[in-house]
Amino acid sequence: MRFDLKVALRYLLANRLQSALLIGGVAVAVTVFTFNAALINGLAEFQIDRVVGSSSHVTIEPAKLLPKVVPAPAGTERLVATQRALERREQIKQWRSVERVIETLPGVTGVSYNINGTGLVTRGQQTLPVSLKGVEPARLAAIAPIDRNLVAGEARLGLNDVLIGRKLADDLGIRIGQPIFVTSNQGRERTLTVRGLYSTGVDSLDARVAYVNIDTARVMFDLPEGLTEIEIKLADIYAARAVAKQLADTTGLEVTAWMDKNQRLREALEGQGSSGNIIKMFTLITIVVGVASALLLTTFRRRPEIGIMRSFGISQRFVLSVFMLQGALIGILGSLVGCFLGWGFSSLLVQAGRSSGRALPVDPSLGQYDVALLLAAAASIAAALWPARAASRIDPVEAISQ
Amino acid sequence: MNTPLLEVNDLRKVFVDRDFETPVLKGVNFTLQRSEMVAMLGPSGSGKSTLLSILGTLMRPTAGSFRMLGRELTSLKEAELSDFRNQQIGFIFQYHHLLPDFSALENVMFPHAGRLWRETQAGRERAAMLLERVGLSERMHYRATRLSGGQKQRVAIARALMNQPALVLADEPTGNLDRENADQAFALMTEIQRETGTTFLLSTHDRELAERCERRIYIQGGVVVDVPSAARVPLRVVPGDMVAVIDRTQTQATRDQRSIQANERSV
Ligand SMILES: Nc1ncnc2c1ncn2[C@@H]1O[C@H](COP(=O)(O)OP(=O)(O)O)[C@@H](O)[C@H]1O
Ligand SMILES: [Mg+2]
């Protein structure tokens, strides 16, 4: 064994209570760190799951038609005011070729080819705006698991059928099998029968969307060939941006990943993330302050011993190393214990939540144990630097004559 | 060719505390030959410890120089000095200064293992041999704190010899021991000195022990009075021995006076 390591270990063992307290302190800080990570990341996962679970991961829409503008001469700026050409319907006409591109993409778990539009639902005196979503009946559950979220009726989409959210049904005071009168924004009217009610837990779906057969939508929105939207679901949701970029480059259409479509979710996640980071930072500061002050006391207590080592020609580097190693050992041991405690604590909470029927959004597998281990060990070593330098610079004559 | 082990040349030390200067060494000159056992006498506060610290490269002189083994040491850098100290100088202090968390054997090995950053079999064997030599082979694995005062000082003697130094500097090595232990420790040092040919320079208050050395030097008034062994001057008549004069403040002077009186009584 290296002799500096032996001396460091001997010093730690000579002062068992102090060492135990120090390791315990680092462990508590790392427990907070990892539990905090498991909670924040678990919560994020839960929120993402709720949003992303019933919406598309990558959405393809018609290209925005922008007027071509001659580039400004070098060194000048050119301001251009544009207005969207409202008289031209935005649609994806060449969707068959897009379909072929999508088929070559890896990791796609579902695709839905849609014709969407807005309309009004009338029942008696009640008139409510709705988003009509025209989908192929076979792909009804490709994006939102409408079939699994059905609370009444059946997931059937005949040409005159409609599936609506329970909330919308409540607002309209309607039940399964009853007809509703729908007017599209193209002025087409149709009477549809309510086949099923769903409840996804996502308000915008449950209160505002009505699913119809894509062929019904074609007629109601005057789109004999094109589509208005293609939705894609991926196995790895975090690949969405890369997939979106690839599709945008190959098709020239407007392609958006889920994280760029859900600004509010992103802001919420970022807010949670940064408050989590503040907590993590404080745990690291605690480690630095605790380890530094304890080791500084140790160097002070051991001044005469360090003086004697120096008088026997033991190098300053050796003394430095002895104290740095103490910091490193405390950091590594403390963070190992802390990782274990953090994992145990979050696992216990999950179990308790499960048995009480209220699942907690803590995910023990997302405790960032590797990061915690690395940062806590680095913090301890950094904290040891100051006391170790002080120790190595002790004047032997002064220390011995104390 | 017989170069001296140590040549000290007009060594001066002035302690500066804010604007307050204390000249302690005012031009020290003397020479140590190889294999000598030399006692350094002088009243308390006369600068014995200061001189030993400087010769042991633990402290830099204000002026002057000294050569050891033909090397000029005053111009070396700290790391070089540290290395030189490790190989050529052994210290014995008034207080044993053993590392309390290490065994007797580990304490003796420390200067060796600390230089190599690891323990070696050869180092362990030499440490064991030295402990046997100082009569502590049975206490080898005892914690330093579990030894008696005399035993601790004998471990310190063994430690000073670990790296086979050319010079052992002992600052009142028996000052903390009772008569019996002091005699024993002193006898041990004398024997080892003869066996190994290591040069010993030891400061002491103890005239009886000092007289057992081949040679004595006296430090007083910031300079050294060298008394060669051949001179055989009876101790009592060395002029000025009782009246060390040090330029200090009044309080320090009274303190020095008191210790001088104490010396007189012990004579
Ligand atoms: N670091 C220091 N700063 C100021 N004065 C000192 C310092 N070290 C020693 N002295 C003074 O130098 C003088 C000699 O001290 P020292 O060498 O310890 O004497 P001795 O060992 O002979 O008793 C004393 O008067 C002491 O007060
Ligand atoms: Mg002294």
Coordinates of all heavy atoms in Angstrom, one line a residue, chain B residues 15 24 43-50 248 252, ligand 1:
Chain B
F15 N 16.0 37.7 14.9 CA 14.5 37.5 14.7 C 13.9 38.9 14.6 O 14.2 39.8 15.4 CB 14.0 36.8 16.0 CG 14.3 35.3 16.0 CD1 15.2 34.8 16.9 CD2 13.7 34.5 15.1 CE1 15.5 33.5 16.9 CE2 14.0 33.1 15.1 CZ 15.0 32.6 16.0
V24 N 20.2 37.1 17.9 CA 20.4 35.9 18.8 C 21.8 35.3 18.5 O 22.6 35.1 19.4 CB 19.3 34.8 18.6 CG1 19.7 33.6 19.3 CG2 18.0 35.4 19.0
P43 N 23.5 29.1 28.5 CA 22.3 29.3 29.3 C 21.0 29.3 28.5 O 21.1 29.4 27.3 CB 22.5 30.7 29.9 CG 23.6 31.3 29.2 CD 24.4 30.2 28.5
S44 N 19.9 29.1 29.1 CA 18.6 29.1 28.4 C 18.4 30.4 27.7 O 18.8 31.5 28.3 CB 17.5 28.9 29.5 OG 16.3 28.9 28.8
G45 N 18.0 30.4 26.5 CA 17.8 31.6 25.7 C 19.0 32.1 25.0 O 19.0 33.1 24.4
S46 N 20.1 31.3 25.1 CA 21.3 31.8 24.5 C 21.4 31.5 23.0 O 22.2 32.0 22.3 CB 22.5 31.1 25.2 OG 22.4 29.7 25.1
G47 N 20.5 30.7 22.5 CA 20.4 30.5 21.0 C 20.8 29.1 20.6 O 21.0 28.8 19.4
K48 N 20.8 28.1 21.6 CA 21.2 26.7 21.2 C 20.2 26.1 20.2 O 20.6 25.6 19.2 CB 21.3 25.9 22.5 CG 22.3 26.3 23.5 CD 22.4 25.4 24.7 CE 21.1 25.3 25.5 NZ 20.7 26.5 26.2
S49 N 18.9 26.2 20.6 CA 17.9 25.7 19.7 C 17.9 26.3 18.3 O 17.8 25.7 17.3 CB 16.5 25.8 20.3 OG 16.5 25.1 21.5
T50 N 18.1 27.7 18.3 CA 18.1 28.4 17.1 C 19.3 27.9 16.2 O 19.1 27.6 15.0 CB 18.3 29.9 17.4 OG1 17.3 30.3 18.3 CG2 18.3 30.7 16.1
R248 N 18.5 42.2 25.1 CA 17.0 42.0 25.0 C 16.3 43.0 25.8 O 16.9 43.9 26.4 CB 16.6 40.6 25.5 CG 17.1 39.4 24.7 CD 16.6 39.5 23.3 NE 15.1 39.7 23.2 CZ 14.3 38.7 23.2 NH1 14.7 37.5 23.3 NH2 13.0 38.9 23.2
Q252 N 12.7 40.1 29.1 CA 13.5 39.0 28.6 C 14.8 38.8 29.5 O 15.2 37.8 29.8 CB 13.8 39.1 27.1 CG 14.5 37.9 26.5 CD 13.6 36.7 26.6 OE1 12.4 36.8 26.3 NE2 14.1 35.6 27.0
Ligands
LIG1 N1 10.7 32.8 16.3 C1 11.3 33.6 17.2 N2 11.0 34.9 17.2 C2 11.6 35.8 18.1 N3 12.4 35.4 19.0 C3 12.8 34.1 19.1 C4 12.2 33.2 18.2 N4 12.8 32.0 18.5 C5 13.7 32.2 19.5 N5 13.7 33.4 19.9 C6 14.5 34.1 20.9 O1 15.8 33.7 20.6 C7 16.5 33.5 21.8 C8 17.2 32.1 21.7 O2 16.2 31.1 21.8 P1 16.6 29.6 21.7 O3 17.4 29.3 20.5 O4 15.4 28.8 21.9 O5 17.5 29.5 23.0 P2 18.0 28.2 23.8 O6 17.6 27.0 23.0 O7 19.4 28.3 24.0 O8 17.3 28.2 25.1 C9 15.5 33.6 22.9 O9 15.7 34.8 23.6 C10 14.2 33.5 22.3 O10 13.3 34.2 22.9

